[in-house]
Amino acid sequence: GILRDFHEGIELTLEDIVRMNIVLSDDTAANILLKMFGLESVQQVIKELNLPNTRFDRIMNDYQGAREGRENYTSCRDVANYYKELLKAERLPKELCDKMLEIFTQQRYTYGLPALLDEDQLIAHKTGGITEFGTMHDLGIIYDMDNKPMLICCVMTQFDEGIPRFQPFALDIISNVAWIAYEEAVEQKVE
């Protein structure tokens, strides 16, 4: 991430760090948050939010931890349930949920879900992936013309090494899924 290139001693707010993690996919910012709150505390919140297929066992880019079998993982269902929590604000404070949704709308990587939609289309999402492991994802909320949210979770995994340029291939599929889903929602409203 870009945060590691800033000068030592830079003062950032908690919101700045969260924003850098989400909007710019800055792993250094994620690690600051994980160290600030602690892996056990993060796991406790994950448990309280009833996200059984999500786990943080190491900081980002801790390859030694990965070699030792400590992994971070989640599922589309857990991510969808997390977004539902942000929309409903049943377990977390509404102000916090609204702020997180607002931060997700500022995602700078728009080559996934938003790529084929109007640039004014409101989308709260998180694009990401690990190219060397052959994964790409974009998960989030597309708001329809009445501001009604639609959850879309797309995850692509490269099982076949023979797919050249996997990342653009996966992002093309993800953007088409979003476009088809949005068009279908618009058609249903018209009927």
Side-chain angles (χ1 to χ4, degrees):
I2 193 160
L3 189 55
R4 68 178 168 206
D5 296 327
F6 288 3
H7 69 276
E8 195 170 314
I10 188 170
E11 290 188 31
L12 299 168
T13 66
L14 179 59
E15 184 177 327
D16 292 335
I17 297 167
V18 169
R19 193 173 297 277
M20 291 186 87
N21 173 232
I22 300 299
V23 173
L24 298 174
S25 291
D26 193 302
D27 284 346
T28 302
N31 286 342
I32 290 169
L33 294 168
L34 289 169
K35 289 176 181 177
M36 183 184 299
F37 293 103
L39 290 172
E40 286 181 26
S41 176
V42 170
Q43 261 327 113
Q44 184 59 38
V45 172
I46 289 168
K47 185 177 180 179
E48 289 169 11
L49 291 175
N50 194 24
L51 306 174
N53 299 306
T54 300
R55 181 119 189 116
F56 277 93
D57 280 335
R58 61 178 174 81
I59 62 172
M60 302 298 162
N61 303 317
D62 175 6
Y63 299 112
Q64 180 59 35
R67 282 190 287 277
E68 293 170 3
R70 288 181 281 124
E71 263 315 331
N72 300 332
Y73 55 86
T74 191
S75 68
C76 283
R77 179 171 299 204
D78 279 6
V79 173
N81 286 336
Y82 174 71
Y83 278 119
K84 287 178 190 175
E85 173 58 32
L86 293 181
L87 291 166
K88 294 178 182 178
E90 293 176 339
R91 295 179 208 152
L92 297 172
K94 179 158 179 36
E95 183 179 299
L96 175 66
C97 292
D98 291 345
K99 177 54 76 175
M100 282 304 301
L101 286 168
E102 181 260 323
I103 291 172
F104 279 119
T105 65
Q106 296 176 359
Q107 172 63 242
R108 294 292 194 270
Y109 300 106
T110 58
Y111 38 69
L113 293 177
L116 299 177
L117 301 174
D118 288 337
E119 65 181 54
D120 296 336
Q121 181 66 48
L122 183 61
I123 303 175
H125 68 112
K126 177 69 179 83
T127 304
I130 304 174
T131 306
E132 57 267 27
F133 294 123
T135 65
M136 284 303 306
H137 68 264
D138 204 345
L139 311 120
I141 301 163
I142 300 175
Y143 294 88
D144 70 12
M145 55 197 142
D146 297 326
N147 213 28
K148 185 177 177 188
M150 256 189 321
L151 283 170
I152 297 187
C153 297
C154 295
V155 177
M156 300 288 297
T157 302
Q158 182 176 7
F159 289 109
D160 182 357
E161 297 277 332
I163 300 174
R165 299 174 27 107
F166 174 74
Q167 185 177 17
F169 170 78
L171 290 168
D172 185 52
I173 291 173
I174 290 169
S175 61
N176 275 285
V177 167
W179 183 78
I180 291 167
Y182 185 78
E183 290 296 310
E184 184 67 26
V186 168
E187 280 183 30
Q188 287 183 9
K189 284 202 177 287
V190 172
E191 293 172 2

